[in-house]
Amino acid sequence: MGIWIVNGRTAEGEKIAVLAENGVIVDIVRGDAADAVTTDGREVVDAGGRLLTAGLIDMHVHFREPGFEYKEDIETGSRSAAKGGFTTVACMPNTRPVLDKAETVAKVVARGESVGLTRVLPYGCISIGELGRELADYEALRDAGAIGFTDDGVGVQSAGMMKEAMRRAAALGMPIIAHCEDDTLLPGGAAFSVGEFVKKHGLPGIPNESEAIHVGRDILLAEATGVHYHVCHVSTEQSARLIRLGKQVGVNVTAEVCPHHLLLSDEDIPNATDANWKMNPPLRSPRDVEAMIAAVEDGTIDIFVTDHAPHSEEEKARGVERAPFGIVGLETAFPLLYTKFVATGRWTLPFVLERLTSRPAQLFGLPTGKLEIGAPADLTIIDLEEERKVDPATFASKGKNTPFAGWHLKGWPKLTMLGGDIVWSELAEKGSDEFVS
Protein backbone atom coordinates (compact mmCIF):
# COMPACT_ATOMS: atom_id res chain seq x y z
CA MET A 1 0.00 0.00 0.00
CA GLY A 2 2.90 2.37 0.46
CA ILE A 3 3.80 4.93 3.10
CA TRP A 4 3.32 8.67 2.95
CA ILE A 5 5.82 10.73 4.90
CA VAL A 6 4.12 14.05 5.44
CA ASN A 7 4.96 17.32 7.17
CA GLY A 8 8.62 17.16 6.24
CA ARG A 9 11.08 19.96 5.35
CA THR A 10 13.79 19.90 2.72
CA ALA A 11 17.33 21.12 3.40
CA GLU A 12 16.26 24.40 1.79
CA GLY A 13 13.30 24.72 4.19
CA GLU A 14 10.56 23.85 1.70
CA LYS A 15 7.56 21.80 2.85
CA ILE A 16 7.61 18.28 1.41
CA ALA A 17 5.59 15.06 1.44
CA VAL A 18 6.92 11.83 -0.09
CA LEU A 19 5.13 8.62 -1.04
CA ALA A 20 7.17 5.41 -0.95
CA GLU A 21 5.69 2.38 -2.65
CA ASN A 22 7.17 -0.90 -3.86
CA GLY A 23 10.61 0.18 -2.72
CA VAL A 24 10.82 3.42 -4.66
CA ILE A 25 9.69 7.03 -4.39
CA VAL A 26 6.52 7.32 -6.47
CA ASP A 27 5.33 10.82 -5.58
CA ILE A 28 6.78 14.03 -4.13
CA VAL A 29 4.64 17.02 -3.23
CA ARG A 30 6.34 20.30 -2.38
CA GLY A 31 5.29 23.67 -1.01
CA ASP A 32 1.89 24.40 0.49
CA ALA A 33 0.40 21.54 -1.53
CA ALA A 34 2.30 19.17 0.74
CA ASP A 35 -0.11 20.09 3.54
CA ALA A 36 -3.03 18.67 1.60
CA VAL A 37 -1.85 15.39 0.09
CA THR A 38 -4.47 12.69 -0.33
CA THR A 39 -3.14 9.63 1.45
CA ASP A 40 -5.91 7.24 0.26
CA GLY A 41 -5.75 5.07 3.34
CA ARG A 42 -2.03 4.46 3.12
CA GLU A 43 0.16 4.38 6.21
CA VAL A 44 1.19 7.91 7.18
CA VAL A 45 4.32 9.01 9.04
CA ASP A 46 4.26 12.57 10.36
CA ALA A 47 7.76 14.04 10.18
CA GLY A 48 6.65 16.83 12.51
CA GLY A 49 8.25 19.57 10.43
CA ARG A 50 11.66 17.94 10.66
CA LEU A 51 14.26 17.59 7.91
CA LEU A 52 13.41 14.89 5.35
CA THR A 53 16.39 13.89 3.23
CA ALA A 54 17.63 11.08 1.05
CA GLY A 55 19.25 8.40 3.21
CA LEU A 56 22.85 9.12 4.15
CA ILE A 57 25.73 7.26 2.49
CA ASP A 58 29.02 6.31 4.15
CA MET A 59 31.66 4.91 1.79
CA HIS A 60 34.07 3.86 4.54
CA VAL A 61 33.06 1.64 7.47
CA HIS A 62 34.41 -1.44 9.23
CA PHE A 63 31.77 -4.02 10.17
CA ARG A 64 34.41 -6.59 11.24
CA GLU A 65 32.51 -9.66 9.93
CA PRO A 66 33.89 -12.20 9.22
CA GLY A 67 36.41 -12.80 11.95
CA PHE A 68 36.06 -10.02 14.47
CA GLU A 69 32.38 -10.27 15.39
CA TYR A 70 33.19 -9.50 19.03
CA LYS A 71 34.01 -5.94 17.88
CA GLU A 72 31.07 -5.56 15.48
CA ASP A 73 29.09 -7.76 13.13
CA ILE A 74 27.03 -6.92 10.10
CA GLU A 75 23.83 -6.83 12.13
CA THR A 76 25.10 -4.50 14.86
CA GLY A 77 26.94 -2.39 12.31
CA SER A 78 23.74 -2.12 10.28
CA ARG A 79 21.82 -1.11 13.40
CA SER A 80 24.41 1.56 14.08
CA ALA A 81 24.13 2.80 10.50
CA ALA A 82 20.33 2.94 10.59
CA LYS A 83 20.40 4.79 13.90
CA GLY A 84 22.83 7.28 12.40
CA GLY A 85 20.55 7.90 9.40
CA PHE A 86 22.71 5.92 6.95
CA THR A 87 20.98 3.72 4.37
CA THR A 88 24.08 2.76 2.37
CA VAL A 89 27.51 1.83 3.74
CA ALA A 90 30.63 0.51 2.06
CA CYS A 91 32.55 -2.07 4.13
CA MET A 92 36.29 -2.30 4.15
CA PRO A 93 37.77 -5.75 3.42
CA ASN A 94 40.31 -6.03 6.28
CA THR A 95 38.33 -8.75 8.05
CA ARG A 96 39.56 -12.28 8.81
CA PRO A 97 39.60 -13.78 6.32
CA VAL A 98 40.05 -10.64 4.27
CA LEU A 99 37.71 -10.11 1.33
CA ASP A 100 40.11 -11.30 -1.36
CA LYS A 101 37.95 -14.20 -2.59
CA ALA A 102 34.64 -14.10 -4.43
CA GLU A 103 32.93 -16.42 -1.97
CA THR A 104 33.85 -14.21 1.00
CA VAL A 105 32.56 -11.10 -0.73
CA ALA A 106 29.36 -12.93 -1.65
CA LYS A 107 28.80 -13.95 1.98
CA VAL A 108 29.04 -10.32 3.12
CA VAL A 109 26.58 -9.27 0.44
CA ALA A 110 24.16 -12.02 1.45
CA ARG A 111 24.50 -11.27 5.15
CA GLY A 112 23.85 -7.57 4.59
CA GLU A 113 20.73 -8.37 2.58
CA SER A 114 19.57 -10.82 5.24
CA VAL A 115 19.91 -8.25 8.01
CA GLY A 116 18.15 -5.69 5.82
CA LEU A 117 18.74 -2.57 7.88
CA THR A 118 21.08 -0.78 5.49
CA ARG A 119 22.63 -1.45 2.08
CA VAL A 120 25.96 -3.17 2.78
CA LEU A 121 28.35 -2.78 -0.15
CA PRO A 122 31.70 -4.55 0.30
CA TYR A 123 35.02 -3.58 -1.18
CA GLY A 124 37.34 -6.34 -2.35
CA CYS A 125 41.05 -6.42 -1.59
CA ILE A 126 43.69 -5.01 -3.90
CA SER A 127 46.12 -7.78 -2.97
CA ILE A 128 45.67 -11.31 -1.66
CA GLY A 129 45.71 -11.23 2.12
CA GLU A 130 46.30 -7.46 1.94
CA LEU A 131 49.96 -8.45 1.92
CA GLY A 132 50.96 -6.47 -1.15
CA ARG A 133 52.56 -9.47 -2.84
CA GLU A 134 49.99 -10.75 -5.36
CA LEU A 135 46.95 -9.05 -6.82
CA ALA A 136 43.47 -10.46 -6.18
CA ASP A 137 41.13 -11.59 -8.97
CA TYR A 138 39.23 -8.34 -9.57
CA GLU A 139 36.78 -9.71 -12.09
CA ALA A 140 35.70 -12.47 -9.71
CA LEU A 141 35.41 -10.00 -6.82
CA ARG A 142 33.31 -7.64 -8.95
CA ASP A 143 31.01 -10.44 -10.05
CA ALA A 144 30.51 -11.41 -6.39
CA GLY A 145 29.41 -7.88 -5.49
CA ALA A 146 32.55 -5.86 -4.73
CA ILE A 147 32.15 -2.18 -5.64
CA GLY A 148 35.86 -1.32 -5.74
CA PHE A 149 39.25 -2.47 -4.48
CA THR A 150 41.28 -1.42 -1.48
CA ASP A 151 43.78 -2.73 1.04
CA ASP A 152 42.44 -0.35 3.68
CA GLY A 153 44.31 -0.66 6.92
CA VAL A 154 47.64 -0.84 5.10
CA GLY A 155 49.16 1.02 2.20
CA VAL A 156 50.25 -0.75 -0.98
CA GLN A 157 53.99 -0.33 -0.62
CA SER A 158 55.07 -1.24 -4.15
CA ALA A 159 54.47 1.41 -6.81
CA GLY A 160 54.70 -1.26 -9.49
CA MET A 161 52.00 -3.34 -7.83
CA MET A 162 49.76 -0.30 -7.37
CA LYS A 163 50.15 0.63 -11.03
CA GLU A 164 49.19 -2.86 -12.15
CA ALA A 165 46.23 -2.84 -9.72
CA MET A 166 45.06 0.44 -11.22
CA ARG A 167 45.49 -0.85 -14.75
CA ARG A 168 43.37 -3.93 -14.04
CA ALA A 169 40.71 -1.96 -12.15
CA ALA A 170 40.50 0.61 -14.94
CA ALA A 171 39.96 -2.15 -17.48
CA LEU A 172 36.89 -3.20 -15.49
CA GLY A 173 35.69 0.37 -14.95
CA MET A 174 36.16 -0.04 -11.18
CA PRO A 175 37.75 2.33 -8.64
CA ILE A 176 40.87 1.89 -6.53
CA ILE A 177 40.36 3.17 -2.98
CA ALA A 178 43.66 3.78 -1.23
CA HIS A 179 44.82 3.76 2.34
CA CYS A 180 47.90 5.94 1.95
CA GLU A 181 50.77 5.13 4.26
CA ASP A 182 54.44 4.54 3.52
CA ASP A 183 55.66 2.00 6.06
CA THR A 184 59.29 3.04 5.71
CA LEU A 185 58.44 6.40 7.28
CA LEU A 186 56.66 4.99 10.34
CA PRO A 187 58.61 4.77 13.59
CA GLY A 188 57.82 1.77 15.77
CA GLY A 189 55.19 2.32 18.44
CA ALA A 190 53.97 5.64 17.05
CA ALA A 191 50.30 6.33 17.85
CA PHE A 192 50.00 10.08 17.33
CA SER A 193 51.04 12.57 14.68
CA VAL A 194 54.33 14.44 14.68
CA GLY A 195 53.58 17.73 16.41
CA GLU A 196 53.37 19.51 19.72
CA PHE A 197 51.63 16.61 21.48
CA VAL A 198 54.35 14.03 20.84
CA LYS A 199 57.05 16.60 21.63
CA LYS A 200 55.42 17.32 24.98
CA HIS A 201 55.17 13.65 25.91
CA GLY A 202 58.44 12.45 24.35
CA LEU A 203 56.68 9.99 22.00
CA PRO A 204 57.50 8.78 18.50
CA GLY A 205 55.29 10.52 15.92
CA ILE A 206 53.64 9.61 12.63
CA PRO A 207 54.83 12.16 10.04
CA ASN A 208 52.52 13.82 7.52
CA GLU A 209 54.71 12.68 4.66
CA SER A 210 53.95 9.00 5.43
CA GLU A 211 50.47 9.68 4.04
CA ALA A 212 51.18 12.34 1.45
CA ILE A 213 53.98 10.49 -0.34
CA HIS A 214 51.56 7.71 -1.30
CA VAL A 215 48.95 10.25 -2.38
CA GLY A 216 51.42 11.94 -4.72
CA ARG A 217 52.70 8.63 -6.08
CA ASP A 218 49.24 7.28 -6.69
CA ILE A 219 47.98 10.41 -8.43
CA LEU A 220 50.78 10.00 -10.96
CA LEU A 221 49.88 6.33 -11.37
CA ALA A 222 46.21 7.21 -11.79
CA GLU A 223 47.16 9.69 -14.48
CA ALA A 224 49.10 6.96 -16.27
CA THR A 225 46.37 4.33 -16.01
CA GLY A 226 43.18 6.43 -16.17
CA VAL A 227 41.65 4.67 -13.15
CA HIS A 228 39.24 6.33 -10.75
CA TYR A 229 41.54 6.78 -7.76
CA HIS A 230 39.85 7.56 -4.43
CA VAL A 231 41.93 8.64 -1.42
CA CYS A 232 40.80 7.33 1.97
CA HIS A 233 40.50 9.51 5.09
CA VAL A 234 42.69 12.45 4.02
CA SER A 235 44.31 14.12 7.03
CA THR A 236 47.25 16.29 5.98
CA GLU A 237 47.71 19.65 4.32
CA GLN A 238 50.24 18.09 1.97
CA SER A 239 47.81 15.40 0.81
CA ALA A 240 45.12 17.98 0.10
CA ARG A 241 47.59 20.07 -1.88
CA LEU A 242 48.52 17.08 -4.06
CA ILE A 243 44.89 16.06 -4.63
CA ARG A 244 44.08 19.64 -5.61
CA LEU A 245 46.90 19.65 -8.14
CA GLY A 246 45.82 16.28 -9.48
CA LYS A 247 42.30 17.52 -10.09
CA GLN A 248 43.60 20.67 -11.74
CA VAL A 249 45.47 18.65 -14.36
CA GLY A 250 42.54 16.34 -15.02
CA VAL A 251 43.43 13.20 -13.07
CA ASN A 252 40.36 11.21 -12.00
CA VAL A 253 41.12 11.54 -8.29
CA THR A 254 38.51 11.93 -5.55
CA ALA A 255 38.85 12.05 -1.79
CA GLU A 256 37.09 11.68 1.54
CA VAL A 257 37.52 13.12 5.01
CA CYS A 258 36.25 12.06 8.44
CA PRO A 259 34.46 14.35 10.90
CA HIS A 260 37.21 13.85 13.48
CA HIS A 261 39.84 15.21 11.10
CA LEU A 262 37.68 18.30 10.59
CA LEU A 263 36.98 18.87 14.28
CA LEU A 264 39.95 17.71 16.33
CA SER A 265 43.69 18.34 16.28
CA ASP A 266 46.49 16.71 18.23
CA GLU A 267 46.30 19.67 20.60
CA ASP A 268 42.87 18.45 21.73
CA ILE A 269 44.19 15.09 22.93
CA PRO A 270 43.79 15.20 26.73
CA ASN A 271 46.55 12.78 27.67
CA ALA A 272 48.88 10.13 26.34
CA THR A 273 46.94 7.22 27.83
CA ASP A 274 43.38 7.40 26.45
CA ALA A 275 43.25 5.15 23.37
CA ASN A 276 39.89 6.60 22.32
CA TRP A 277 42.00 9.33 20.74
CA LYS A 278 44.10 6.84 18.80
CA MET A 279 43.08 6.50 15.16
CA ASN A 280 44.80 6.05 11.80
CA PRO A 281 45.44 8.51 10.27
CA PRO A 282 46.10 10.23 13.59
CA LEU A 283 44.79 13.61 14.63
CA ARG A 284 47.06 16.17 12.99
CA SER A 285 47.98 19.78 13.72
CA PRO A 286 45.52 22.70 13.80
CA ARG A 287 47.03 23.78 10.46
CA ASP A 288 46.09 20.43 8.95
CA VAL A 289 42.55 20.71 10.34
CA GLU A 290 42.14 24.10 8.67
CA ALA A 291 43.55 22.63 5.45
CA MET A 292 40.95 19.84 5.55
CA ILE A 293 38.14 22.35 6.00
CA ALA A 294 39.47 24.49 3.14
CA ALA A 295 39.80 21.39 0.95
CA VAL A 296 36.15 20.54 1.54
CA GLU A 297 35.12 24.08 0.72
CA ASP A 298 37.04 24.31 -2.56
CA GLY A 299 35.96 20.84 -3.73
CA THR A 300 39.33 19.15 -3.33
CA ILE A 301 37.74 16.73 -0.86
CA ASP A 302 34.50 15.31 -2.24
CA ILE A 303 32.68 13.46 0.51
CA PHE A 304 32.39 12.81 4.24
CA VAL A 305 32.92 9.31 5.65
CA THR A 306 33.15 8.01 9.19
CA ASP A 307 35.88 5.32 9.04
CA HIS A 308 33.63 3.66 11.67
CA ALA A 309 36.13 1.37 13.41
CA PRO A 310 34.69 -0.41 16.45
CA HIS A 311 36.93 -2.16 18.97
CA SER A 312 36.14 -3.87 22.24
CA GLU A 313 36.44 -1.92 25.48
CA GLU A 314 39.10 -4.40 26.61
CA GLU A 315 41.24 -3.68 23.55
CA LYS A 316 40.97 0.06 23.97
CA ALA A 317 41.83 -0.27 27.67
CA ARG A 318 45.23 -1.81 26.91
CA GLY A 319 46.87 1.59 26.78
CA VAL A 320 47.87 3.69 23.81
CA GLU A 321 50.89 1.64 22.78
CA ARG A 322 48.99 -1.68 22.62
CA ALA A 323 45.47 -0.55 21.76
CA PRO A 324 44.34 -0.79 18.13
CA PHE A 325 43.77 2.30 15.98
CA GLY A 326 40.23 3.50 15.31
CA ILE A 327 37.06 5.12 16.62
CA VAL A 328 33.35 4.63 15.89
CA GLY A 329 31.46 7.29 13.99
CA LEU A 330 28.18 6.24 12.38
CA GLU A 331 25.93 7.50 15.16
CA THR A 332 27.61 10.87 15.67
CA ALA A 333 28.63 11.87 12.14
CA PHE A 334 25.65 13.98 11.15
CA PRO A 335 25.17 15.66 14.55
CA LEU A 336 28.88 16.57 14.60
CA LEU A 337 28.87 18.07 11.12
CA TYR A 338 25.58 19.86 11.69
CA THR A 339 26.46 21.28 15.09
CA LYS A 340 29.98 22.41 14.29
CA PHE A 341 29.57 23.61 10.70
CA VAL A 342 25.89 24.26 9.88
CA ALA A 343 24.54 25.55 13.17
CA THR A 344 27.55 27.87 13.38
CA GLY A 345 26.87 29.26 9.91
CA ARG A 346 30.09 28.15 8.23
CA TRP A 347 28.39 25.70 5.84
CA THR A 348 24.83 25.40 4.60
CA LEU A 349 22.73 22.33 5.26
CA PRO A 350 22.48 21.47 1.51
CA PHE A 351 26.29 21.69 1.30
CA VAL A 352 26.71 19.08 4.04
CA LEU A 353 23.93 16.80 2.83
CA GLU A 354 25.23 16.73 -0.74
CA ARG A 355 28.50 15.26 0.56
CA LEU A 356 26.60 12.62 2.50
CA THR A 357 24.07 11.65 -0.21
CA SER A 358 24.20 12.57 -3.90
CA ARG A 359 27.95 13.17 -4.21
CA PRO A 360 29.09 9.75 -2.91
CA ALA A 361 26.36 8.10 -5.01
CA GLN A 362 27.65 9.93 -8.07
CA LEU A 363 31.29 9.01 -7.41
CA PHE A 364 30.58 5.31 -6.99
CA GLY A 365 27.71 4.91 -9.46
CA LEU A 366 25.05 4.15 -6.85
CA PRO A 367 21.30 4.54 -7.53
CA THR A 368 20.68 5.95 -4.03
CA GLY A 369 21.27 9.38 -2.49
CA LYS A 370 18.49 11.08 -4.43
CA LEU A 371 15.17 12.56 -3.32
CA GLU A 372 13.35 12.17 -6.63
CA ILE A 373 10.60 10.08 -8.19
CA GLY A 374 11.86 6.69 -9.28
CA ALA A 375 14.79 6.64 -6.87
CA PRO A 376 15.02 3.96 -4.17
CA ALA A 377 12.90 4.98 -1.18
CA ASP A 378 15.87 5.39 1.15
CA LEU A 379 14.91 8.29 3.41
CA THR A 380 15.98 9.81 6.69
CA ILE A 381 14.15 12.15 9.06
CA ILE A 382 16.40 14.32 11.24
CA ASP A 383 15.47 16.61 14.12
CA LEU A 384 17.73 19.63 13.67
CA GLU A 385 16.59 21.21 16.93
CA GLU A 386 17.06 18.30 19.29
CA GLU A 387 20.18 18.65 21.43
CA ARG A 388 21.60 15.61 23.15
CA LYS A 389 24.78 14.63 24.94
CA VAL A 390 26.86 11.94 23.24
CA ASP A 391 26.56 8.84 25.41
CA PRO A 392 28.45 5.82 24.02
CA ALA A 393 26.38 3.52 26.25
CA THR A 394 23.39 4.25 24.00
CA PHE A 395 25.18 3.34 20.75
CA ALA A 396 23.67 0.50 18.73
CA SER A 397 27.23 -0.35 17.69
CA LYS A 398 29.19 -2.78 19.83
CA GLY A 399 31.97 -0.21 19.72
CA LYS A 400 31.88 2.54 22.33
CA ASN A 401 35.28 3.97 21.40
CA THR A 402 34.80 7.66 20.67
CA PRO A 403 36.57 10.86 21.72
CA PHE A 404 33.26 12.72 21.50
CA ALA A 405 31.66 11.30 24.66
CA GLY A 406 29.96 14.06 26.61
CA TRP A 407 29.75 16.50 23.68
CA HIS A 408 26.42 18.27 23.34
CA LEU A 409 25.25 18.05 19.72
CA LYS A 410 22.19 19.00 17.69
CA GLY A 411 20.68 17.32 14.63
CA TRP A 412 19.82 13.76 15.61
CA PRO A 413 18.26 11.25 13.18
CA LYS A 414 14.74 10.16 14.15
CA LEU A 415 13.67 7.70 11.45
CA THR A 416 15.36 5.70 8.72
CA MET A 417 13.57 4.12 5.75
CA LEU A 418 15.28 1.58 3.50
CA GLY A 419 13.68 0.65 0.21
CA GLY A 420 10.30 1.85 1.39
CA ASP A 421 10.42 0.04 4.75
CA ILE A 422 10.92 1.82 8.06
CA VAL A 423 13.93 0.06 9.59
CA TRP A 424 14.49 2.28 12.61
CA SER A 425 12.45 4.95 14.31
CA GLU A 426 12.63 7.15 17.34
CA LEU A 427 9.46 9.02 16.47
CA ALA A 428 6.80 8.83 19.15
CA GLU A 429 4.30 6.95 17.03
CA LYS A 430 6.84 4.22 16.32
CA GLY A 431 8.09 3.83 19.84
CA SER A 432 11.45 4.78 21.26
CA ASP A 433 14.65 3.62 19.61
CA GLU A 434 12.88 0.88 17.68
CA PHE A 435 14.44 -1.31 15.03
CA VAL A 436 11.59 -2.56 12.91
CA SER A 437 13.28 -5.45 11.16
Side-chain angles (χ1 to χ4, degrees), residues 156-388:
V156 176
Q157 301 304 306
S158 163
M161 173 162 283
M162 188 55 132
K163 184 176 182 180
E164 180 61 14
M166 289 183 173
R167 189 190 66 76
R168 293 189 187 184
L172 296 174
M174 302 282 283
I176 288 287
I177 299 92
H179 175 112
C180 294
E181 193 168 33
D182 188 314
D183 291 349
T184 65
L185 297 173
L186 298 177
F192 303 110
S193 182
V194 168
E196 295 303 316
F197 183 82
V198 297
K199 289 180 184 176
K200 176 181 177 182
H201 294 277
L203 301 170
I206 301 172
N208 281 22
E209 57 267 27
S210 65
E211 173 182 296
I213 199 166
H214 267 200
V215 173
R217 179 200 73 179
D218 291 351
I219 287 172
L220 293 172
L221 297 176
E223 182 179 32
T225 60
V227 77
H228 171 198
Y229 168 61
H230 181 78
V231 187
C232 287
H233 38 51
V234 179
S235 70
T236 76
E237 183 274 334
Q238 294 90 336
S239 298
R241 189 191 327 150
L242 291 165
I243 295 165
R244 187 175 295 114
L245 285 169
K247 288 191 171 190
Q248 288 173 355
V249 299
V251 178
N252 187 9
V253 53
T254 60
E256 64 187 38
V257 69
C258 304
H260 48 273
H261 289 128
L262 294 166
L263 292 167
L264 300 173
S265 77
D266 61 344
E267 295 185 6
D268 296 308
I269 302 172
N271 55 61
T273 60
D274 186 350
N276 286 321
W277 295 77
K278 180 180 180 182
M279 66 281 287
N280 190 14
L283 298 175
R284 306 287 186 178
S285 70
R287 175 174 174 170
D288 291 301
V289 173
E290 286 304 315
M292 294 303 97
I293 295 170
V296 170
E297 292 175 344
D298 72 8
T300 298
I301 292 176
D302 302 85
I303 61 174
F304 302 127
V305 300
T306 66
D307 193 10
H308 177 79
H311 294 289
S312 71
E313 293 185 47
E314 179 189 23
E315 288 171 320
K316 278 297 193 181
R318 291 174 184 168
V320 167
E321 289 186 3
R322 297 180 57 225
F325 289 95
I327 64 171
V328 293
L330 281 166
E331 291 168 66
T332 55
F334 184 83
L336 282 168
L337 293 167
Y338 179 77
T339 303
K340 299 302 179 182
F341 292 105
V342 180
T344 58
R346 177 140 190 171
W347 295 341
T348 67
L349 183 56
F351 181 89
V352 169
L353 284 175
E354 180 187 9
R355 285 149 185 79
L356 286 167
T357 57
S358 58
R359 185 64 176 145
Q362 178 188 24
L363 293 188
F364 290 90
L366 308 178
T368 53
K370 297 178 287 190
L371 193 59
E372 61 184 44
I373 293 174
D378 291 5
L379 302 168
T380 300
I381 295 174
I382 298 175
D383 190 333
L384 300 177
E385 298 302 319
E386 180 178 338
E387 183 170 336
R388 189 187 301 171

